[in-house]
Amino acid sequence: MPSPALQYTELSTTAQTAYAQLLEAALTTEHLRGVADLSGSFAAKSVRGAKYWYFQFTEPSGKLRQIFVGPDTAAVRALMSRKTQPAATAGLGPLARACAALGCAEVLPRHVRVLNRLAEYGFFRAGGVLIGTHAFLAFGNMLGVKWGDASRTQDIDFAHAGKRLSIALPGDVKVNMHDAITSLEMGLLPVASLSAKAGATYLNPREPEFRLDFLTPLHRAGEKPYEHPQLGVTLQPLKFMEFSLEQVQQAVLFSGERCVVVNVPQPARYALHKLLVYGEREGSFATKAGKDLRQVGLLLAYLKEHRPAETLRAWAGLISRGPGWIKRARLGLTALDKLTPYLRVKTWLKFK
């Protein structure tokens, strides 16, 4: 019998429905944000004897901005009165609380705060993807299961296609992640790098396990960290990362009444990418490698039963990329078969 840490249980239908409702509401809110969602006030200005109304608010960076509302007319005053109506985000809190009460996984409050700030600055709209253990927790809610391995982590991992893969972002748009992280005032500082102004990792010197890592695909040996001009952050190249950045999906993470919509990898691609990384590192980073293999085992156990075709398509794409990919996959699968022999993953994937 597998260890309890390597098993999952299905969430109730009610819990799965609650999460689906939260995700739908959060996605809708992303498109309906307006003045009602901004913290600010109306201010009148007199221009050449005529009265005009503006709405002034403070950006996440601390910069004061004003939005022109219109002249002082009955129609504009009626529009301004709607500011007292509930914001589009007001209905998300009760849905998030219901999800937690029904057994869906929450993340740490300060992690949701970080994710929210990066979302406010446009990181996920610009193609940013949440990876690592936070993505794994999101998969549980997405797939309607509760993982036996409920381990948490203090680090948050992000990835972006970087300079190699196209993103739908105009060349003059800036999404400054350094400013976003600094504005949190959580003591997170960039780790210096010899090849860049700031490294691809932010951490709190007093709490080094609390860190943010930014990754991007590695396309040639020895490739240096890349300072992305539009994101305002340095990206650390990682081999095989592009495999996880194809066919990304959306999920919602929450803590208490706060929630945020993020991009996450396709679950099957996430699991198979972890096998590649294990094969690449082989023997090093033993603690992290063990955690990653447990996540792979849990995901593939679910996917084998519920989404086999999707996983087999992802696997076919992986082994079509050449002998280097196949070699690492073989090492990862060998280790996984030792950890979870009951899954018979090699047999399922028809891999010798």
Side-chain angles (χ1 to χ4, degrees), residues 96-148:
R97 290 200 310 272
C99 285
L102 291 166
C104 295
E106 293 185 90
V107 298
L108 294 175
R110 67 174 174 176
H111 290 178
V112 168
R113 183 183 169 200
V114 171
L115 296 172
N116 257 316
R117 184 54 51 89
L118 267 60
E120 289 171 348
Y121 273 74
F123 177 66
F124 298 111
R125 289 181 181 272
V129 180
L130 179 67
I131 57 175
T133 296
H134 288 82
F136 177 70
L137 292 174
F139 293 149
N141 293 336
M142 288 171 58
L143 301 173
V145 299
K146 191 176 186 67
W147 302 124

Side-chain angles (χ1 to χ4, degrees), residues 39 51 102 108 113 136 148 151 158 160 182 188 206 229 232 240 271 277 312 337 348:
S39 179
K51 187 177 180 180
L102 291 166
L108 294 175
R113 183 183 169 200
F136 177 70
S151 59
F158 303 95
H160 191 276
T182 302
L188 292 162
R206 295 183 177 181
F240 312 117
V277 172
L312 290 172
D337 273 349
W348 172 42

Side-chain angles (χ1 to χ4, degrees), residues 99-350:
C99 285
L102 291 166
C104 295
E106 293 185 90
V107 298
L108 294 175
R110 67 174 174 176
H111 290 178
V112 168
R113 183 183 169 200
V114 171
L115 296 172
N116 257 316
R117 184 54 51 89
L118 267 60
E120 289 171 348
Y121 273 74
F123 177 66
F124 298 111
R125 289 181 181 272
V129 180
L130 179 67
I131 57 175
T133 296
H134 288 82
F136 177 70
L137 292 174
F139 293 149
N141 293 336
M142 288 171 58
L143 301 173
V145 299
K146 191 176 186 67
W147 302 124
D149 184 353
S151 59
R152 296 294 189 267
T153 181
Q154 290 295 330
D155 61 312
I156 311 177
D157 299 322
F158 303 95
H160 191 276
K163 59 184 176 180
R164 297 289 181 169
L165 303 179
S166 174
I167 60 171
L169 189 64
D172 59 348
V173 172
K174 300 291 183 181
V175 182
N176 198 313
M177 291 299 96
H178 177 74
D179 286 353
I181 295 166
T182 302
S183 72
L184 286 164
E185 298 182 349
M186 298 174 75
L188 292 162
L189 301 174
V191 178
S193 168
L194 294 176
S195 57
K197 294 180 181 178
T201 294
Y202 284 75
L203 60 78
N204 185 332
R206 295 183 177 181
E207 196 178 358
E209 67 274 12
F210 179 34
R211 55 185 286 165
L212 314 181
D213 290 309
F214 292 87
L215 306 173
T216 196
L218 174 71
H219 292 276
R220 64 178 183 274
E223 191 171 4
K224 296 180 180 179
Y226 169 61
E227 188 176 2
H228 199 293
Q230 292 173 266
L231 293 178
V233 72
T234 300
L235 304 172
Q236 175 66 47
L238 179 66
K239 206 166 186 179
F240 312 117
M241 190 73 250
E242 64 269 28
F243 189 74
S244 277
L245 299 184
E246 298 175 16
Q247 302 178 26
V248 297
Q249 302 176 356
Q250 288 182 300
V252 59
L253 291 175
F254 59 93
S255 177
E257 292 196 351
R258 301 187 68 178
C259 60
V260 56
V261 174
V262 299
N263 300 323
V264 294
Q266 181 198 55
R269 286 179 172 270
Y270 174 93
L272 297 178
H273 175 253
K274 288 289 187 183
L275 286 179
L276 291 168
V277 172
Y278 183 94
E280 178 68 14
R281 290 173 173 171
E282 194 186 5
S284 62
F285 305 99
T287 300
K288 188 177 190 308
K291 180 187 72 175
D292 286 351
L293 270 184
R294 288 193 296 273
Q295 291 183 7
V296 172
L298 285 162
L299 270 171
L300 289 182
Y302 175 88
L303 294 169
K304 181 181 179 182
E305 182 177 354
H306 298 280
R307 298 187 178 185
E310 176 183 303
T311 309
L312 290 172
R313 283 195 298 270
W315 173 252
L318 185 154
I319 60 175
S320 71
R321 301 193 183 204
W325 290 63
I326 294 173
K327 175 184 175 182
R328 274 70 170 191
R330 177 176 285 109
L331 291 170
L333 281 174
T334 298
L336 182 63
D337 273 349
K338 290 180 180 178
L339 181 68
T340 58
Y342 55 91
L343 285 181
R344 298 171 56 87
V345 177
K346 277 188 179 179
T347 301
W348 172 42
L349 297 177
K350 298 179 181 178

